[in-house]
Amino acid sequence: MRHRQVVQGTRRTREFEAFVAGASGRLLHTATLLTAEAPDDNPRARRLLTLALAHTYACWDRLRGEDPYDRTRQDLALRYAHGTWRRHGLLLRGRTHSAGPLAGLAPQERLIVVLRLYEGVAEEQAAALLGLPTERVGTICDRATATLLHPPREAAPTVVGAKAKVAAS
């Protein structure tokens, strides 16, 4: 009996290591997009991924035909959403001061854009995962995509000192 448990544990570990070797790059990129960190400096993304992979490993034997990538991606998205909720009070509030390509989006917009456009999750699945109506997910995705394509313009800097000098002359 003990020998069988050791063999099953070894097999489980090898299967999980093979999964991580194949999926961790894309999952890390997904986490980096969610946290809006720079790709070469992404400690929050790495922590999110580590926690999601640990959860996947813990329930590895219970997956029974379920795709481990989908399970890990779902856990990653939920951990991001819950962490943002705790940190900011609401997933809708505030934009981060990060340097990633999606840093100009609110956390909820970023989550939906990553799930829908980068990961290819269907609108209905994303809505079910986030507990939102399907129409709301579509609206948020459209608004976020428009923001990415046409970012808001920065206000032109005003030169107060030059006008004051001209007026004094």
Side-chain angles (χ1 to χ4, degrees), residues 73-124:
R73 180 183 58 213
Q74 179 179 356
D75 192 66
L76 188 68
L78 291 175
R79 284 181 188 280
Y80 170 74
H82 291 156
T84 301
W85 181 275
R86 279 192 298 276
R87 215 173 7 269
H88 299 290
L90 283 173
L91 190 57
L92 299 169
R93 220 185 278 169
R95 297 184 176 4
T96 60
H97 303 289
S98 300
L102 303 180
L105 299 177
Q108 186 179 50
E109 292 172 333
R110 197 165 44 241
L111 177 58
I112 290 172
V113 164
V114 169
L115 287 174
R116 292 278 298 122
L117 303 180
Y118 180 71
E119 286 292 324
V121 175
E123 200 169 271
E124 295 80 14

Side-chain angles (χ1 to χ4, degrees), residues 12-13 15-29 31 44-63 67-77 79:
R12 173 185 184 203
T13 301
E15 287 174 355
F16 183 74
E17 287 173 349
F19 163 70
V20 170
S24 63
R26 184 172 173 107
L27 286 167
L28 179 60
H29 188 69
R44 283 183 51 224
R46 289 179 184 279
R47 179 162 171 69
L48 269 174
L49 179 57
T50 300
L51 292 171
L53 286 171
H55 183 260
T56 301
Y57 183 72
C59 63
W60 189 260
D61 292 333
R62 294 187 307 262
L63 291 178
D67 184 7
Y69 184 86
D70 287 343
R71 171 64 76 92
T72 306
R73 180 183 58 213
Q74 179 179 356
D75 192 66
L76 188 68
R79 284 181 188 280

Side-chain angles (χ1 to χ4, degrees), residues 25-48:
R26 184 172 173 107
L27 286 167
L28 179 60
H29 188 69
T30 300
T32 302
L33 288 172
L34 286 174
T35 59
E37 295 174 305
D40 54 344
D41 184 28
N42 53 4
R44 283 183 51 224
R46 289 179 184 279
R47 179 162 171 69
L48 269 174

